[in-house]
């Protein structure tokens, strides 16, 4: 499907190793409404760009809803923006995807030295449905699989599992667009406000334009550069060189 994956039943984790690793690791969860994964544009392309800044990246292929090809309905749901129905269909799989994320975090942390990663500099980022996974991970992780930082990109918030901000220091980077056609901008603002109220480090980039799915797209807009802002945040604010 040209960089799109469907019917994922067995999760995998693919490593992208930079030439000069700086000790920071990020697990990436692509979006796709839990019915497919935008594996290249929101996964491997992001990983390769992070490698350019010395960040070791891992793309998570998490479990998805099986849609009967004889009775496809996902495109119609998206056209009608019937997210309540989508949530009801997705709910069991969101829990599976969360387990995949928890397992991935545990695996990479336990094997961090093999990847030249500091086990205390391992984060998780996700876009759209991947943002659902990222936020669910932040709310449900234990010490062995807790992300040291989280990046939530135009997260699909209504399906997130949990709502309690971690008590352990967990910086968050949030990016979304005001003109997101699914109305996801408000969830990002709410998440930012919760982190600030909990006195947790937080950075929010609310772009006026960009729409939904601006990760790695070239639209000649400021949102095109969100990944530079993310890596600047990581390297200059969260883990600056002393």
């Amino acid at each position: 499907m040209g960089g799109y994956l469907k019917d994922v039943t067995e999760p995998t984790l693919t490593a992208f190793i930079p030439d000069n690793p700086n000790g920071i690791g990020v697990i990436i969860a692509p979006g796709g409404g839990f019915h497919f994964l935008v594996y290249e544009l929101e996964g491997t392309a992001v990983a390769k760009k992070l490698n350019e800044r010395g960040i070791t990246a891992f793309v998570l292929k998490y479990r998805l809803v099986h849609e009967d090809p004889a009775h496809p309905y996902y495109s119609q749901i998206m056209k009608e923006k019937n997210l309540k129905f989508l949530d009801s269909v997705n709910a069991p799989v969101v829990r599976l995807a969360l387990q995949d994320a928890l397992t991935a975090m545990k695996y990479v942390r336990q094997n961090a030295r093999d990847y030249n990663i500091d086990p205390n500099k391992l984060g998780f980022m996700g876009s759209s449905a991947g943002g659902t996974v990222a936020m669910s991970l932040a709310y449900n992780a234990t010490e062995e699989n807790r992300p040291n930082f989280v990046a939530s990109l135009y997260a699909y918030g209504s399906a997130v599992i949990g709502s309690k901000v971690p008590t352990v220091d967990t910086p968050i980077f949030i990016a979304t667009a005001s003109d997101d056609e699914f109305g996801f901008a408000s969830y990002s603002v709410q998440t930012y406000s919760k982190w600030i109220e909990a006195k947790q480090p937080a950075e929010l980039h609310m772009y006026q334009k960009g729409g939904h799915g601006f990760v790695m797209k070239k639209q000649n807009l400021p949102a095109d550069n969100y990944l530079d802002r993310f890596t600047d945040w990581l390297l200059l604010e969260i883990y600056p060189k002393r």
Side-chain angles (χ1 to χ4, degrees):
M1 286 183 62
Y4 290 74
L5 301 179
K6 295 182 69 174
D7 288 326
V8 175
T9 57
E10 295 186 9
T12 65
L13 194 64
T14 303
F16 291 78
I17 312 298
D19 292 333
N20 298 295
N22 58 20
I24 301 172
V26 180
I27 298 173
I28 302 166
F34 294 101
H35 281 66
F36 63 93
L37 295 179
V38 189
Y39 192 74
E40 290 186 7
L41 194 64
E42 296 189 350
T44 61
V46 175
K48 292 173 183 176
K49 289 294 290 185
L50 293 178
N51 282 174
E52 294 176 8
R53 300 293 297 271
I55 298 166
T56 302
F58 304 82
V59 180
L60 176 63
K61 188 167 68 173
Y62 54 88
R63 284 172 284 184
L64 302 175
V65 173
H66 170 70
E67 182 171 316
D68 184 351
H71 303 283
Y73 60 90
Y74 179 74
S75 296
Q76 188 64 29
I77 291 174
M78 291 293 96
K79 182 178 180 180
E80 297 173 354
K81 296 182 174 58
N82 188 350
L83 297 183
K84 286 187 177 180
F85 179 60
L86 184 63
D87 285 347
S88 67
V89 172
N90 288 348
V93 172
V94 176
R95 295 194 173 278
L96 296 178
L98 169 57
Q99 289 304 313
D100 297 340
L102 292 166
T103 300
M105 281 294 306
K106 180 180 178 180
Y107 166 79
V108 176
R109 178 159 288 130
Q110 288 179 339
N111 296 277
R113 302 302 183 190
D114 294 337
Y115 293 104
N116 293 313
I117 296 171
D118 183 331
N120 297 311
K121 294 182 179 179
L122 176 62
F124 196 100
M125 71 184 299
S127 48
S128 194
T132 302
V133 178
M135 295 310 304
S136 297
L137 173 70
Y139 291 137
N140 291 276
T142 61
E143 187 58 31
E144 67 178 1
N145 47 36
R146 178 180 63 83
N148 298 110
F149 59 88
V150 177
S152 173
L153 313 173
Y154 46 87
Y156 167 27
S158 61
V160 170
I161 299 170
S163 60
K164 191 177 187 316
V165 178
T167 55
V168 179
D169 193 45
T170 308
I172 192 169
F173 177 94
I174 304 168
T176 191
S178 297
D179 64 348
D180 186 299
E181 51 265 41
F182 295 103
F184 290 173
S186 59
Y187 176 78
S188 293
V189 175
Q190 292 164 11
T191 301
Y192 172 78
S193 297
K194 287 175 61 173
W195 248 251
I196 293 298
E197 290 168 6
K199 296 183 172 20
Q200 287 272 23
E203 180 152 333
L204 170 65
H205 291 261
M206 181 63 72
Y207 296 101
Q208 179 179 337
K209 295 181 180 179
H212 188 74
F214 58 76
V215 169
M216 303 309 292
K217 285 183 179 179
K218 298 302 178 186
Q219 304 181 84
N220 295 317
L221 293 170
D224 295 358
N225 302 312
Y226 88 93
L227 198 56
D228 291 331
R229 305 290 75 77
F230 171 63
T231 51
D232 285 346
W233 174 76
L234 265 186
L235 300 176
L236 302 178
E237 296 187 34
I238 306 304
Y239 302 120
K241 292 183 178 179
R242 303 300 182 186

